[in-house]
Amino acid sequence: MESVGVVGAGSWGTTLAKVLGENGRQTFLWARDAELCRQINESHENPRYLPGARLAQTVEATAELRHLCERCELILLVVPSHGLRQVARAMGDHLHGGQMVVHCTKGIERETGSRMSEIIREETCLRKIGALGGPNLASEIALCNPAGTVVASKYDEVVRAAQAVLHNRYFRVYGGDDVVGVEVGGAFKNIVALAAGIADGLRLGDNTKALLLTRGLSEMARFGAMMGAEVVTFGGMAGIGDLMATCASPLSRNHQVGERLARGETLADIERSMFMVAEGVKTTRAVHAIARHRGLELPIVRAAHAILYEGISVREALDTLMARHVGREFEAFSAVPVRRGG
C-alpha cells in the first residue's frame, strides 16, 4: 500500500498525515480550500490548523477528491460529523467496493442519530469500513509524544492495513472489531468533557471531576450497550482512555467550551469565537434525543442538554444532578441488554 489518503486537513487530519509521511507513506491530504493546499505544499506545514508541525515531502495536499480517491486503497476520513455525509457523498462517485476507509470522526449525526460508519455505508459503495478512536490530542501526537489509539472493523484486512501505515515508535495502534463501541465512546466522551470543563471552570476540584468521569463512563457504557456495543470496549482506548485525556486537558475544545460556560459566557458567543468545531455541542443534542426515544435515563447528558439548549444555569443543572436519588452503583445496568458490537 504505497499511497494513503486523508480526507480533512484540520488539526487531526494533518497530524495523521504527518504520522503517515514520517512512516514513509505517500500521502494525499484533502482540503476544500485550494489556497490552503498551496500553502501546505509550499511550506510543508499546515499554517492554519497545525502551525509549526513539519510535514514530510511525501505529503501532498489536494483540493480534488477524485485525485485522492482514485489513487488510494486506504482512506482516512477526518471531517467534522456535521459535514461527513456531504463529503462521503462526494467521494462516492470516485470509489470502488474494494477500497477501505477508516473514519476518525468522533460524533453522531444530529439530524438522524446515525453513526459515522452508517453514513459511509449509505452514501458510498464501501463496506470495508473501520473507526479509529482513543486519547488522541492532535497537538501532542504532532510533537511525537507517546500515544495510542484503536482501530475497529468487522474486516481484519482494514485493521491490519491501518496498523501497517500508522503504527510507529510513538503511536501505538491497537485493533478491535467493536465498531459501535469505538464510535459511541468517541462521541460520548465529548459530552462528559463539556461537564468536566464546567467543573474546572467553577473550580470544584478533583473529587467533583472524578465523580463526573465515573458516572459519565457509566452513562457511556449504558448508552453503548443499548446501541449494540460491547461493554468491555469502554474500559479501553476508545472509552476510559479518550475520556481521561479529553476531560483532563485544556487542549480539548469541548473542555474549553465547558469552562467558558461556567464563566457565564453564552453558547452562541463561544461558538462564534471558536476556530474549530467542539463536537460535544452537537453530540449532546443527538444523544439526548436517542436516549429519550429509547427511554434511557442519562442524567449527565440531560444536564448538559439543559445548559446548552434549555436556558438552565450551570449551577441549577449541577444542583439538580446532586439532588437525584442515590441507589446501588450498578443498578442501571440491570435493565440494559448487553449485546455484541458490529
Side-chain angles (χ1 to χ4, degrees), residues 55-66:
L55 301 177
Q57 297 283 339
T58 54
V59 177
E60 176 188 324
T62 177
E64 298 295 330
L65 267 180
R66 179 174 182 174

Side-chain angles (χ1 to χ4, degrees), residues 108 113 115 180 183-185 187-188 191 217-229 234 283 286-292 294 296-298 301 333 336 339:
I108 294 175
R115 293 177 286 107
V180 178
E183 290 181 314
V184 169
F188 204 104
I191 304 173
L217 181 62
S218 174
E219 291 188 24
M220 176 193 292
R222 284 185 277 128
F223 182 80
M226 182 191 69
M227 297 286 282
F234 304 111
T283 301
V287 170
H288 181 260
I290 295 169
R292 285 191 64 184
R294 301 280 192 94
L296 182 65
E297 181 68 14
L298 301 174
V301 174
F333 281 95
V336 179
R339 296 174 291 200

Side-chain angles (χ1 to χ4, degrees), residues 146-258:
T149 196
V150 61
V151 174
S153 178
K154 293 188 296 182
Y155 295 86
D156 288 340
E157 177 186 359
V158 175
V159 175
R160 291 195 303 270
Q163 289 176 315
V165 300
L166 289 171
H167 188 93
N168 63 23
R169 62 179 177 82
Y170 62 85
F171 194 44
R172 297 182 63 81
V173 183
Y174 295 89
D177 60 6
D178 184 11
V179 176
V180 178
V182 170
E183 290 181 314
V184 169
F188 204 104
K189 59 90 184 182
N190 288 326
I191 304 173
V192 186
L194 288 169
I198 290 172
D200 281 343
L202 295 174
R203 300 184 182 277
L204 296 177
D206 292 334
N207 287 339
T208 304
K209 187 185 285 188
L211 173 63
L212 279 170
L213 266 65
T214 305
R215 298 312 300 167
L217 181 62
S218 174
E219 291 188 24
M220 176 193 292
R222 284 185 277 128
F223 182 80
M226 182 191 69
M227 297 286 282
E230 299 179 54
V231 172
V232 69
T233 299
F234 304 111
M237 286 286 178
I240 187 65
D242 203 358
L243 193 66
M244 290 172 65
T246 310
C247 293
S249 175
L251 296 173
S252 161
R253 293 189 290 275
N254 296 284
H255 188 281
Q256 292 168 13
V257 170

Side-chain angles (χ1 to χ4, degrees), residues 8 35 44 49 51 56 68 81 128 153 164 177 183 209 255 331:
E35 173 58 22
H44 299 290
Y49 292 103
L68 182 151
S81 60
K128 296 178 182 179
S153 178
D177 60 6
E183 290 181 314
K209 187 185 285 188
H255 188 281
E331 67 180 342

Side-chain angles (χ1 to χ4, degrees), residues 41-58:
N41 289 333
E42 288 185 359
S43 66
H44 299 290
E45 71 173 75
N46 187 332
R48 189 178 304 172
Y49 292 103
L50 202 68
R54 186 74 176 173
L55 301 177
Q57 297 283 339
T58 54

